[in-house]
Amino acid sequence: MAYNQKLRGGGPSSTAWSKQKSRSGGFYASDTIISRQHHPQPSQKPSGRNAKAKVVKSKEIIQLEELIDTLERGIPENVGGPHGCFCLAQVHDISSYTPICPHCGLILCIFQAPASPCPHCFSPLLSTNERSQLIARLQSDIADVLRKEEQKREEERLEQARLEVVRAGG
């Protein structure tokens, strides 16, 4: 009886051919697809008199931070599916980070993550030096985006103050 339970995946040690559910709970390949939707963390309210309101990160900042995290950890993202996208930048825009595979010359679209290997030849798209340069570039991009967002918020505050002065009759 214990042998049959092991074959059906019921025992503590199951084999590769025993029926096991995937990590997301289903038997189908589509059940293993992980949702790419961002689930925001609950925000904490500022405490104290001089506490500033917490600024919510924009979608662009979140994407850049996720890309940096992926590059630092070296864990590839399969954005275009498990085998990548082979549209040759005809359907999607060309990748601004790794536009072409340095080994086989495959033209890569935006759905090919730079941390992933080439979907055709499976060789790495970036060397260690190129990876660190890209991380520095992305960190610079984040700083630029944050500066632009802050300038936009400041302009909105000034416009709001100007409107209040006009409404007050001054």
Side-chain angles (χ1 to χ4, degrees):
M1 182 70 170
Y3 179 74
N4 287 337
Q5 284 180 338
K6 285 184 182 179
L7 284 179
R8 283 188 244 127
S13 62
S14 53
T15 61
W17 56 85
S18 63
K19 292 185 179 181
Q20 295 179 355
K21 289 187 176 185
S22 65
R23 62 182 166 178
S24 64
F27 289 103
Y28 302 105
S30 61
D31 293 337
T32 63
I33 297 173
I34 298 170
S35 173
R36 302 278 305 154
Q37 295 177 353
H38 176 68
H39 301 290
Q41 298 294 327
S43 61
Q44 297 177 351
K45 293 183 180 181
S47 60
R49 293 181 184 174
N50 297 329
K52 293 183 179 178
K54 189 174 183 179
V55 178
V56 179
K57 293 181 181 178
S58 67
K59 184 177 179 180
E60 187 177 2
I61 295 292
I62 291 170
Q63 288 174 341
L64 290 171
E65 287 177 345
E66 287 175 353
L67 186 56
I68 288 174
D69 185 49
T70 302
L71 286 166
E72 287 175 342
R73 288 184 295 134
I75 299 171
E77 291 182 11
N78 292 327
V79 178
H83 304 291
C85 180
F86 289 93
C87 76
L88 302 175
Q90 297 293 316
V91 176
H92 313 110
D93 292 334
I94 194 163
S95 173
S96 60
Y97 306 116
T98 52
I100 190 166
C101 174
H103 302 280
C104 70
L106 179 70
I107 299 170
L108 303 168
C109 72
I110 57 172
F111 286 114
Q112 182 65 34
S116 299
C118 173
H120 180 258
C121 68
F122 301 107
S123 59
L125 295 173
L126 298 171
S127 67
T128 306
N129 187 29
E130 291 170 330
R131 185 178 294 242
S132 60
Q133 289 174 354
L134 180 56
I135 290 172
R137 176 181 151 202
L138 291 171
Q139 290 170 340
S140 173
D141 290 350
I142 287 175
D144 291 342
V145 170
L146 288 173
R147 190 180 69 252
K148 288 177 185 176
E149 288 176 356
E150 183 59 35
Q151 286 175 346
K152 184 177 178 182
R153 282 192 292 274
E154 185 62 30
E155 289 172 4
E156 289 172 356
R157 278 187 235 132
L158 291 174
E159 181 65 22
Q160 184 67 28
R162 188 188 67 77
L163 289 175
E164 289 178 11
V165 168
V166 168
R167 283 187 206 142

